[in-house]
Amino acid sequence: LFDLYVRDVVASQIVTEVAVKKYYDDHPTDFVHPDAAKVRMIVISKEKHSVEEARTLIGDLMKDLYGVRAGSKNNAAAVTQAFAAAATKSSEHASAARGGDLGWVGRDGLDPKISEAVFSMTPGTISGILETGAAMHLVLVEDRQLASTESYESARAGIREFLIGANTQKVVEAVNRATLELRASSKVTLYPENVK
C-alpha cells in the first residue's frame, strides 16, 4: 500500500502528466521501432569445411527444404517445422539448438549481405544460398514488422516509470516531508508495555 501511495500520490506531484507528455514529445527517436524480421538461419562454416563441401551441404539442405515447401503447397507451419528440424540437425551456429531461431532482429543485427536478403524477402520464404566470408547461410523469414512509432498511450507507463526513477531523490524527499508533517500534526500514543 505504501508503494502504491508513493507511486500514485507522491510521485504524481513530481512526475506530472505534462512532464510525461513533454518527455515523449522531446525524445521522438526513443519511440521509433525500426524494421524487424523474425528469422531462422542455418549456417555451414567454411572454416570447418572446404568451400565446395560447404556449398554442397547447404545446397542439399536447400533442395530438401524447397521440396517441403512445394510438397506442402507453401504451408508456413510445415516449412518452419522442416527448417527448424534441419537447423537443429545440421546448422553450425549457436542458434541450432533453437531450430536456428534468431528471434526478431533489426537490419543492424545481421551481416550486411544477409540483412539485405532478409529485408527484401517476403515472410514465409527461404533464401537461396547466402555466402559471407566465414560461412554459407540459408535464411527463413517467418514474419516482418515495418518501422513504426510507439503511440503516446502505449509509451506513457514506461516513460512515467523512467521519470520516477530519474527523480528518485525528489520522491524520497517528498515522502520524508509528508511523513514529518503527519508526525507533527498527528496525535501518537505509545504503549511501551505492548512493545516487545
Side-chain angles (χ1 to χ4, degrees):
L1 287 176
F2 181 73
D3 286 345
L4 288 174
Y5 172 75
V6 169
R7 283 197 170 331
D8 293 343
V9 178
V10 178
S12 65
Q13 297 167 11
I14 295 164
V15 179
T16 63
E17 191 65 32
V18 171
V20 173
K21 180 72 168 118
K22 181 174 177 5
Y23 184 90
Y24 179 81
D25 292 340
D26 290 350
H27 299 86
T29 57
D30 291 357
F31 306 100
V32 173
H33 302 289
D35 288 343
K38 189 168 185 339
V39 176
R40 288 186 185 268
M41 186 182 320
I42 296 173
V43 178
I44 303 297
S45 172
K46 292 192 293 188
E47 294 172 2
K48 290 184 177 181
H49 310 278
S50 69
V51 172
E52 295 77 24
E53 282 178 331
R55 193 169 283 125
T56 299
L57 289 168
I58 202 97
D60 290 344
L61 289 168
M62 185 177 75
K63 286 179 208 166
D64 292 344
L65 291 168
Y66 276 36
V68 169
R69 190 181 81 186
S72 70
K73 296 184 176 147
N74 229 6
N75 178 298
V79 171
T80 299
Q81 185 177 9
F83 195 97
T88 300
K89 181 180 174 189
S90 304
S91 184
E92 296 167 346
H93 188 263
S95 66
R98 298 184 310 276
D101 189 3
L102 301 180
W104 288 95
V105 294
R107 291 179 186 271
D108 298 355
L110 298 168
D111 178 278
K113 198 178 253 188
I114 294 171
S115 181
E116 183 180 329
V118 164
F119 287 94
S120 65
M121 293 168 60
T122 304
T125 59
I126 299 170
S127 70
I129 297 170
L130 302 172
E131 186 173 349
T132 61
M136 303 279 183
H137 309 261
L138 282 181
V139 175
L140 168 66
V141 175
E142 291 185 70
D143 200 0
R144 290 258 312 272
Q145 292 177 341
L146 297 176
S148 63
T149 302
E150 187 174 3
S151 70
Y152 171 71
E153 283 306 314
S154 173
R156 187 175 160 274
I159 296 169
R160 186 170 188 276
E161 289 303 311
F162 171 76
L163 292 176
I164 288 172
N167 289 289
T168 300
Q169 185 62 38
K170 289 180 182 176
V171 172
V172 168
E173 289 170 4
V175 168
N176 289 338
R177 201 170 32 256
T179 302
L180 291 174
E181 288 171 8
L182 285 172
R183 282 186 182 155
S185 65
S186 301
K187 180 180 178 202
V188 177
T189 305
L190 295 176
Y191 297 96
E193 66 274 6
N194 293 331
V195 178
K196 293 183 182 187

